[in-house]
Amino acid sequence: MIYTTLPHTDIKVSKICLGTMTWGNQNTQEEGFAQMDIALDKGINFFDTAEMYPVPASPETQGSTSTIIGNWLKERGNRDKVIIASKIVGRPSDYTAHIRTTGLQGDSIDEAVNNELKRLQTDYIDLYQIHWPERETNTFGTRDYKHNPNDAWEDNFKEVLHKLDLQIKAGKIRNIGLSNEKAWGTMRFLEESKKNSLPRMKTIQNAYSLLNRTFEGDLAEISMRENIGLLAYSPMAFGVLSGKYIKGTAADNARLKLFPRFSRYSSEQCTEATKRYLEIAEDNNMTLAQMSLAFVTQQPFVTSNIIGATSLEQLEENIGSIHVNLNDDLLKAINDVHTAMPNPAT
């Protein structure tokens, strides 16, 4: 395994992070335990969860993923061996109304942290992230920003940082980060932190893959110049970049078979780009999955690459991508496809 540190900390994390959002829905607790055992044995010490998980979110399953992690930590007795990241839901929506409808207002952060600590059966969370912005902006598959002058959100960056600061001072969380955030919000949080001597956002967890390289716009520069590391999620584009949907080898419990509404990586453009990437991988004697993951891991702004799997075979292959090095010729071939078909995913 290769390790790095969370920006502005001395916390060592693996360059591959274990994503967990299928546990409690597509995966059982027993399967989650097996994945964590293998990941830790392979050198992965970084696990990512959220109060909302598993996905798709529902009142019946909400929090199950973190409960599985907590049960594993208790049974294995190895809390000191792993770095745990979690998230609080952001803007209220019908999708998460069963969790809370108050966003980050009032006692929401305190309530969310306490509930997550109980599920995880731990005294502290190493990295606590805002799952998505409270304000209206273009997240979750929306390509372009459309301003809504009637958005009821009021600027509360300072207030949110203050509430997170109280959690840090109470010893409940160690560091804070963002998720699904844009350039403006990221810089506002950094500005308020500097101006008011409040905790600094250390990381940003956004989608990043061969089919969605939009992070390479303004956010990549912010990441490098401000040292706020990307935790890249969906590096496999919901499994599309395994090539299994093109080859017709996807299992019945594959994500897009179970949940076809998650279609942001299923357009004609995405399919065509994936075919081209698959050809490059096969010409270079590697799987498309490992090429896709290695591409993400090698980016200079990536702190850790969040992989997910529904089977142990997938997990082993994905972890093995850490040993794949993409040379200049292969990277040029990848970038030629990107130039011809930039960011086909919405």
Side-chain angles (χ1 to χ4, degrees):
M1 184 49 59
I2 298 172
Y3 298 91
T4 186
T5 57
L6 286 179
H8 304 278
T9 78
D10 59 359
I11 298 176
K12 183 176 78 169
V13 294
S14 48
K15 284 286 288 186
I16 290 181
C17 174
L18 182 62
T20 63
M21 72 177 186
T22 61
W23 304 351
N25 189 334
Q26 288 174 265
N27 289 108
T28 64
Q29 174 167 289
E30 182 181 7
E31 290 168 337
F33 275 31
Q35 287 196 29
M36 286 183 278
D37 288 339
I38 288 175
L40 193 61
D41 183 64
K42 296 287 187 180
I44 293 177
N45 72 339
F46 195 16
F47 298 172
D48 179 73
T49 184
E51 66 172 348
M52 184 182 77
Y53 290 170
V55 171
S58 76
E60 295 74 26
T61 62
Q62 187 259 321
S64 298
T65 301
S66 295
T67 297
I68 289 171
I69 296 172
N71 291 339
W72 181 81
L73 291 172
K74 182 179 180 181
E75 185 170 306
R76 300 294 190 264
N78 57 3
R79 176 66 183 90
D80 61 326
K81 298 292 194 301
V82 293
I83 305 302
I84 296 178
S86 189
K87 312 177 199 72
I88 178 175
V89 296
R91 184 181 182 85
S93 69
D94 292 342
Y95 190 57
T96 58
H98 58 279
I99 303 175
R100 76 181 58 82
T101 59
T102 51
L104 305 177
Q105 307 298 317
D107 296 328
S108 295
I109 291 176
D110 186 53
E111 171 194 286
V113 170
N114 287 334
N115 287 341
E116 187 70 342
L117 289 173
K118 290 176 184 176
R119 286 187 286 262
L120 290 168
Q121 300 185 58
T122 185
D123 296 327
Y124 64 96
I125 298 167
D126 297 285
L127 177 66
Y128 198 63
Q129 304 152 102
I130 299 172
H131 209 150
W132 57 84
E134 274 194 292
R135 68 191 188 279
E136 287 189 24
T137 188
N138 50 321
T139 58
F140 293 114
T142 303
R143 189 188 296 264
D144 300 321
Y145 174 71
K146 301 290 190 299
H147 187 68
N148 178 11
N150 299 315
D151 182 8
W153 172 79
E154 295 182 3
D155 191 317
N156 62 344
F157 288 97
K158 180 181 176 181
E159 177 186 356
V160 169
L161 286 174
H162 174 68
K163 290 177 180 177
L164 291 169
D165 188 32
L166 293 177
Q167 299 299 315
I168 292 173
K169 289 176 177 174
K172 296 179 180 181
I173 59 178
R174 298 175 68 188
N175 298 281
I176 56 176
L178 299 168
S179 179
N180 296 299
E181 187 53 274
K182 312 303 288 186
W184 183 78
T186 302
M187 289 306 297
R188 279 299 313 280
F189 271 115
L190 294 176
E191 175 189 23
E192 294 295 339
S193 171
K194 294 174 184 176
K195 187 167 64 176
N196 298 291
S197 299
L198 288 166
R200 187 188 202 281
M201 294 296 182
K202 309 291 179 60
T203 56
I204 178 169
Q205 183 177 148
N206 281 25
Y208 182 72
S209 70
L210 288 175
L211 299 179
N212 178 5
R213 294 171 58 174
T214 54
F215 191 89
E216 293 179 23
D218 294 344
L219 279 167
E221 182 177 10
I222 291 171
S223 177
M224 298 299 293
R225 294 190 184 278
E226 300 291 336
N227 192 20
I228 179 167
L230 174 63
L231 306 180
Y233 79 78
S234 289
M236 292 282 290
F238 294 164
V240 169
L241 286 169
S242 67
K244 61 187 177 185
Y245 296 105
I246 289 174
K247 293 183 174 182
T249 58
D252 289 340
N253 68 340
R255 187 159 193 79
L256 292 181
K257 284 193 174 184
L258 290 176
F259 314 116
R261 66 190 178 87
F262 293 132
S263 59
R264 72 186 74 160
Y265 300 107
S266 302
S267 66
E268 290 184 14
Q269 295 91 337
C270 283
T271 300
E272 178 58 31
T274 301
K275 288 179 180 177
R276 298 188 191 188
Y277 289 130
L278 177 61
E279 183 178 348
I280 294 171
E282 291 180 341
D283 285 348
N284 286 272
N285 299 311
M286 63 181 66
T287 68
L288 176 57
Q290 290 199 331
M291 186 185 83
S292 300
L293 292 171
F295 175 81
V296 172
T297 303
Q298 287 181 210
Q299 299 301 319
F301 44 79
V302 171
T303 292
S304 195
N305 186 0
I306 304 175
I307 64 167
T310 52
S311 73
L312 298 183
E313 292 76 18
Q314 290 173 345
L315 182 64
E316 295 266 9
E317 179 182 14
N318 292 351
I319 295 174
S321 68
I322 196 67
H323 304 297
V324 175
N325 183 58
L326 307 184
N327 61 36
D328 289 343
D329 290 341
L330 201 157
L331 288 172
K332 181 182 183 303
I334 288 173
N335 284 323
D336 285 345
V337 175
H338 179 63
T339 298
M341 306 185 70
N343 300 316
T346 55

